[in-house]
Amino acid sequence: ALQDGEVHRLITYIFIYEDLISLACGAVIIWYFAGSFEKNVGTVKHCILTATFSVLSALLYLFLQPLVSRLLEVGDAKGFMPVAFAMLGVSTTRSRMKRTLLLGCRVPVLLVPWLGLCLAWFVPHSSLLGNLCGLLVGEAYGLGYCFCLDFPESVGSKLDWVFPFTLLKRIPGLKYIPGSLAERRASGNSMIKAVPGTYPTQSYHCPSPLALPAHPSAQGQSF
């Protein structure tokens, strides 16, 4: 397809799903992995890295597919899952955590994407080679081998005010994440900052003390 000039298929394959089950799995993967990745890097960088990871994963897949197909049956790379594994590889390689809790067991963070790769085997119409290529691209980027593809936050802040990102800000119901880390932290703090006077209060009832008799003789008269 690339030899015929269909270069657009290096990106459009992430939108192709075979049935409703694979589409539902892709929607969950986009919501969980892509959503959390966007919160960490911003909408601008998220969009650029999504296209970058898609192209690099597809090129690596096309390079390895003739070699692997001699030993195993290789499925076509379809859906967002290769890009999701690339984002997961970036997050785990750059994470400061050493271990995390997975299914009740503490495992090394760097081992989580490879365990997820085994679980992705059971997702309908998923390509093991495509997911592996996405994971390798993400870990290479996270380790700094693709530093030429990275850009500073100042560039991301400037792109926030360039089309089409200015249009994304106007779409109702769409949460736009700024490219600057300071702005992301400020927006996060504004969400959890309560307005004065809205804190919940609890009133405690303290019963009044019993009235004492005015004169000692009054107690004797009551008896």
Side-chain angles (χ1 to χ4, degrees):
L2 292 178
Q3 294 177 357
D4 296 337
E6 300 180 6
V7 186
H8 62 277
R9 295 181 63 178
L10 294 174
I11 296 181
T12 55
Y13 74 92
I14 64 176
F15 304 106
I16 298 177
Y17 295 93
E18 292 289 338
D19 49 23
L20 292 178
I21 298 178
S22 59
L23 179 61
C25 295
V28 173
I29 291 172
I30 293 174
W31 170 75
Y32 186 78
F33 290 100
S36 59
F37 187 77
E38 183 181 3
K39 293 179 181 178
N40 294 329
V41 300
T43 301
V44 172
K45 201 168 187 178
H46 167 72
C47 294
I48 295 176
L49 289 181
T50 297
T52 303
F53 291 157
S54 174
V55 173
L56 293 180
S57 301
L59 292 177
L60 184 59
Y61 172 85
L62 294 176
F63 177 75
L64 297 178
Q65 192 267 345
L67 302 177
V68 180
S69 60
R70 299 177 181 178
L71 303 176
L72 300 173
E73 182 180 357
V74 179
D76 295 334
K78 297 178 181 179
F80 192 81
M81 193 172 294
V83 180
F85 271 101
M87 295 178 178
L88 182 60
V90 175
S91 302
T92 52
T93 52
R94 296 187 176 183
S95 177
R96 297 180 180 179
M97 297 176 57
K98 299 298 182 181
R99 292 181 174 273
T100 185
L101 192 64
L102 182 65
L103 300 178
C105 301
R106 296 186 62 86
V107 296
V109 175
L110 297 178
L111 192 61
V112 172
W114 300 98
L115 295 177
L117 192 65
C118 299
L119 296 177
W121 182 276
F122 301 98
V123 177
H125 306 289
S126 64
S127 174
L128 179 62
L129 180 60
N131 298 336
L132 177 61
C133 293
L135 180 57
L136 294 177
V137 169
E139 292 196 345
Y141 179 86
L143 293 175
Y145 295 109
C146 303
F147 61 91
C148 57
L149 302 176
D150 208 352
F151 55 89
E153 292 185 357
S154 58
V155 178
S157 300
K158 294 179 181 179
L159 292 177
D160 284 337
W161 305 99
V162 178
F163 183 84
F165 302 107
T166 53
L167 182 62
L168 294 178
K169 297 180 180 180
R170 301 177 182 178
I171 299 179
L174 180 64
K175 184 179 180 181
Y176 188 89
I177 309 298
S180 175
L181 178 60
E183 295 181 5
R184 293 197 297 269
R185 290 179 176 177
S187 60
N189 293 334
S190 61
M191 293 178 59
I192 62 176
K193 185 177 181 180
V195 180
T198 60
Y199 296 99
T201 58
Q202 183 176 0
S203 59
Y204 295 91
H205 174 68
C206 181
S208 58
L210 297 175
L212 297 177
H215 302 283
S217 59
Q219 184 176 4
Q221 293 175 1
S222 64
F223 287 114

